[in-house]
Short mmCIF file of all heavy atoms in Angstrom, two decimals:
data_model
loop_
_atom_site.label_atom_id
_atom_site.label_comp_id
_atom_site.label_asym_id
_atom_site.label_seq_id
_atom_site.Cartn_x
_atom_site.Cartn_y
_atom_site.Cartn_z
N ASN A 1 59.67 185.34 29.29
CA ASN A 1 59.89 185.57 27.86
C ASN A 1 58.83 184.91 26.99
O ASN A 1 58.95 184.90 25.76
CB ASN A 1 61.27 185.05 27.47
CG ASN A 1 62.38 185.77 28.20
OD1 ASN A 1 62.36 187.01 28.30
ND2 ASN A 1 63.36 185.03 28.71
N GLY A 2 57.80 184.36 27.61
CA GLY A 2 56.74 183.72 26.85
C GLY A 2 57.06 182.32 26.38
O GLY A 2 56.34 181.77 25.53
N ASN A 3 58.10 181.71 26.94
CA ASN A 3 58.45 180.34 26.58
C ASN A 3 57.55 179.36 27.35
O ASN A 3 57.40 179.48 28.57
CB ASN A 3 59.91 180.05 26.91
CG ASN A 3 60.87 180.90 26.10
OD1 ASN A 3 60.68 181.07 24.90
ND2 ASN A 3 61.88 181.44 26.75
N PRO A 4 56.96 178.39 26.67
CA PRO A 4 56.08 177.44 27.36
C PRO A 4 56.87 176.39 28.11
O PRO A 4 57.95 175.97 27.70
CB PRO A 4 55.29 176.81 26.21
CG PRO A 4 56.22 176.87 25.04
CD PRO A 4 57.00 178.15 25.21
N ASP A 5 56.31 175.97 29.23
CA ASP A 5 56.89 174.89 30.02
C ASP A 5 55.75 174.02 30.53
O ASP A 5 54.62 174.47 30.68
CB ASP A 5 57.68 175.46 31.21
CG ASP A 5 58.33 174.38 32.06
OD1 ASP A 5 58.67 173.31 31.49
OD2 ASP A 5 58.50 174.59 33.27
N VAL A 6 56.05 172.76 30.78
CA VAL A 6 55.07 171.86 31.37
C VAL A 6 55.79 170.85 32.25
O VAL A 6 56.89 170.41 31.92
CB VAL A 6 54.22 171.13 30.29
CG1 VAL A 6 55.09 170.33 29.36
CG2 VAL A 6 53.15 170.25 30.93
N MET A 7 55.22 170.56 33.41
CA MET A 7 55.80 169.56 34.30
C MET A 7 54.71 168.64 34.82
O MET A 7 53.53 169.01 34.87
CB MET A 7 56.52 170.22 35.49
CG MET A 7 55.61 170.91 36.49
SD MET A 7 56.43 171.33 38.06
CE MET A 7 56.53 169.70 38.82
N MET A 8 55.11 167.43 35.19
CA MET A 8 54.17 166.51 35.83
C MET A 8 54.24 166.70 37.34
O MET A 8 55.33 166.87 37.91
CB MET A 8 54.52 165.05 35.49
CG MET A 8 53.57 164.04 36.13
SD MET A 8 54.11 162.32 35.95
CE MET A 8 53.77 162.02 34.22
N ALA A 9 53.09 166.65 37.99
CA ALA A 9 53.03 166.72 39.45
C ALA A 9 51.98 165.74 39.93
O ALA A 9 51.06 165.37 39.20
CB ALA A 9 52.70 168.13 39.92
N ALA A 10 52.13 165.29 41.18
CA ALA A 10 51.16 164.36 41.73
C ALA A 10 50.52 164.86 43.01
O ALA A 10 49.50 164.35 43.42
CB ALA A 10 51.82 163.00 42.00
N TRP A 11 51.13 165.86 43.65
CA TRP A 11 50.57 166.35 44.90
C TRP A 11 49.51 167.40 44.61
O TRP A 11 49.68 168.58 44.87
CB TRP A 11 51.67 166.94 45.77
CG TRP A 11 52.59 165.88 46.35
CD1 TRP A 11 52.69 164.58 45.97
CD2 TRP A 11 53.52 166.07 47.41
NE1 TRP A 11 53.64 163.95 46.72
CE2 TRP A 11 54.17 164.84 47.62
CE3 TRP A 11 53.88 167.17 48.19
CZ2 TRP A 11 55.16 164.66 48.59
CZ3 TRP A 11 54.87 166.99 49.15
CH2 TRP A 11 55.49 165.76 49.35
N GLY A 12 48.38 166.98 44.07
CA GLY A 12 47.31 167.91 43.73
C GLY A 12 45.94 167.28 43.86
O GLY A 12 45.80 166.06 43.81
N SER A 13 44.93 168.13 44.03
CA SER A 13 43.58 167.62 44.19
C SER A 13 42.57 168.71 43.92
O SER A 13 42.89 169.90 44.00
CB SER A 13 43.37 167.11 45.63
OG SER A 13 42.05 166.64 45.83
N GLN A 14 41.35 168.33 43.61
CA GLN A 14 40.26 169.29 43.55
C GLN A 14 39.88 169.65 44.97
O GLN A 14 39.76 168.79 45.85
CB GLN A 14 39.06 168.68 42.82
CG GLN A 14 37.94 169.68 42.59
CD GLN A 14 36.89 169.17 41.63
OE1 GLN A 14 37.06 168.10 41.06
NE2 GLN A 14 35.82 169.91 41.46
N CYS A 15 39.73 170.94 45.26
CA CYS A 15 39.44 171.39 46.63
C CYS A 15 38.20 172.27 46.68
O CYS A 15 37.98 172.97 47.66
CB CYS A 15 40.65 172.11 47.23
SG CYS A 15 41.20 173.57 46.32
N GLY A 16 37.40 172.27 45.65
CA GLY A 16 36.17 173.03 45.59
C GLY A 16 35.50 172.78 44.26
O GLY A 16 36.09 172.14 43.37
N SER A 17 34.29 173.28 44.08
CA SER A 17 33.58 173.01 42.82
C SER A 17 34.29 173.60 41.62
O SER A 17 34.18 173.08 40.51
CB SER A 17 32.15 173.56 42.91
OG SER A 17 32.16 174.97 43.08
N LYS A 18 35.05 174.69 41.82
CA LYS A 18 35.77 175.31 40.73
C LYS A 18 37.24 175.54 41.06
O LYS A 18 37.92 176.31 40.38
CB LYS A 18 35.13 176.65 40.37
CG LYS A 18 33.72 176.54 39.80
CD LYS A 18 33.18 177.91 39.42
CE LYS A 18 31.77 177.82 38.85
NZ LYS A 18 31.25 179.16 38.48
N GLN A 19 37.74 174.89 42.11
CA GLN A 19 39.11 175.13 42.54
C GLN A 19 39.90 173.84 42.64
O GLN A 19 39.36 172.78 42.96
CB GLN A 19 39.13 175.86 43.89
CG GLN A 19 38.61 177.29 43.81
CD GLN A 19 38.78 178.04 45.12
OE1 GLN A 19 38.74 177.45 46.20
NE2 GLN A 19 38.98 179.34 45.03
N ILE A 20 41.20 173.96 42.36
CA ILE A 20 42.13 172.87 42.55
C ILE A 20 43.30 173.38 43.37
O ILE A 20 43.55 174.59 43.44
CB ILE A 20 42.64 172.31 41.20
CG1 ILE A 20 43.33 173.41 40.39
CG2 ILE A 20 41.52 171.68 40.41
CD1 ILE A 20 44.01 172.89 39.15
N CYS A 21 44.01 172.46 44.01
CA CYS A 21 45.14 172.85 44.85
C CYS A 21 46.27 171.85 44.63
O CYS A 21 46.03 170.65 44.45
CB CYS A 21 44.71 172.84 46.32
SG CYS A 21 46.04 173.27 47.49
N PHE A 22 47.50 172.35 44.60
CA PHE A 22 48.65 171.46 44.50
C PHE A 22 49.85 172.11 45.19
O PHE A 22 49.86 173.31 45.44
CB PHE A 22 48.98 171.11 43.05
CG PHE A 22 49.16 172.29 42.14
CD1 PHE A 22 50.36 172.98 42.06
CD2 PHE A 22 48.11 172.72 41.33
CE1 PHE A 22 50.52 174.06 41.20
CE2 PHE A 22 48.25 173.79 40.48
CZ PHE A 22 49.46 174.47 40.41
N GLU A 23 50.85 171.29 45.51
CA GLU A 23 52.07 171.77 46.15
C GLU A 23 53.27 171.41 45.29
O GLU A 23 53.34 170.32 44.72
CB GLU A 23 52.20 171.17 47.55
CG GLU A 23 51.08 171.59 48.47
CD GLU A 23 51.36 171.27 49.93
OE1 GLU A 23 52.46 170.77 50.22
OE2 GLU A 23 50.48 171.53 50.77
N LEU A 24 54.19 172.35 45.20
CA LEU A 24 55.38 172.18 44.38
C LEU A 24 56.63 172.54 45.18
O LEU A 24 56.59 173.44 46.02
CB LEU A 24 55.32 173.07 43.14
CG LEU A 24 54.18 172.86 42.15
CD1 LEU A 24 54.22 173.93 41.08
CD2 LEU A 24 54.25 171.48 41.54
N SER A 25 57.71 171.86 44.90
CA SER A 25 59.02 172.28 45.39
C SER A 25 59.52 173.39 44.46
O SER A 25 58.82 173.79 43.54
CB SER A 25 59.97 171.09 45.39
OG SER A 25 60.10 170.56 44.09
N PRO A 26 60.72 173.92 44.68
CA PRO A 26 61.24 174.94 43.76
C PRO A 26 61.39 174.37 42.34
O PRO A 26 62.13 173.42 42.13
CB PRO A 26 62.60 175.30 44.35
CG PRO A 26 62.50 174.93 45.78
CD PRO A 26 61.63 173.71 45.82
N HIS A 27 60.66 174.92 41.42
CA HIS A 27 60.69 174.50 40.02
C HIS A 27 60.58 175.75 39.15
O HIS A 27 60.16 176.81 39.60
CB HIS A 27 59.51 173.58 39.69
CG HIS A 27 59.60 172.20 40.25
ND1 HIS A 27 60.46 171.24 39.76
CD2 HIS A 27 58.92 171.62 41.27
CE1 HIS A 27 60.31 170.12 40.46
NE2 HIS A 27 59.39 170.33 41.39
N LYS A 28 60.90 175.60 37.89
CA LYS A 28 60.62 176.63 36.91
C LYS A 28 59.12 176.93 36.91
O LYS A 28 58.70 178.10 36.84
CB LYS A 28 61.06 176.17 35.53
CG LYS A 28 60.82 177.17 34.40
CD LYS A 28 61.78 178.35 34.49
CE LYS A 28 61.69 179.20 33.23
NZ LYS A 28 62.59 180.37 33.30
N THR A 29 58.31 175.89 37.01
CA THR A 29 56.86 176.06 37.05
C THR A 29 56.42 176.90 38.24
O THR A 29 55.53 177.75 38.11
CB THR A 29 56.17 174.68 37.09
OG1 THR A 29 56.48 173.97 35.88
CG2 THR A 29 54.66 174.81 37.23
N THR A 30 57.02 176.65 39.39
CA THR A 30 56.68 177.42 40.59
C THR A 30 56.95 178.90 40.37
O THR A 30 56.11 179.75 40.70
CB THR A 30 57.49 176.91 41.80
OG1 THR A 30 57.53 175.47 41.79
CG2 THR A 30 56.89 177.39 43.11
N ASP A 31 58.10 179.22 39.80
CA ASP A 31 58.45 180.61 39.51
C ASP A 31 57.49 181.21 38.49
O ASP A 31 57.07 182.37 38.61
CB ASP A 31 59.88 180.70 38.98
CG ASP A 31 60.92 180.31 40.03
OD1 ASP A 31 60.59 180.39 41.24
OD2 ASP A 31 62.03 179.91 39.64
N ASN A 32 57.15 180.43 37.46
CA ASN A 32 56.25 180.94 36.43
C ASN A 32 54.86 181.26 36.97
O ASN A 32 54.23 182.24 36.57
CB ASN A 32 56.13 179.92 35.29
CG ASN A 32 57.40 179.78 34.47
OD1 ASN A 32 58.33 180.58 34.60
ND2 ASN A 32 57.46 178.77 33.63
N ILE A 33 54.37 180.42 37.87
CA ILE A 33 53.05 180.66 38.45
C ILE A 33 53.07 181.92 39.30
O ILE A 33 52.13 182.73 39.27
CB ILE A 33 52.58 179.45 39.27
CG1 ILE A 33 52.29 178.27 38.34
CG2 ILE A 33 51.33 179.79 40.09
CD1 ILE A 33 51.95 176.98 39.05
#
């Protein structure tokens, strides 16, 4: 519906010159992505 959401995560890292990677459990953010 276009509603903004934001969450904090810590399991993430840069994995290339222009790429990042992270892992999430089931979250609203996971569904939105």
Side-chain angles (χ1 to χ4, degrees):
N1 298 316
N3 296 316
D5 181 30
V6 59
M7 69 166 286
M8 180 189 287
W11 288 15
S13 178
Q14 186 168 355
C15 59
S17 62
K18 294 182 180 180
Q19 292 186 329
I20 59 173
C21 179
F22 53 83
E23 297 193 3
L24 299 174
S25 60
H27 288 286
K28 180 72 170 179
T29 297
T30 317
D31 294 337
N32 290 350
I33 291 174

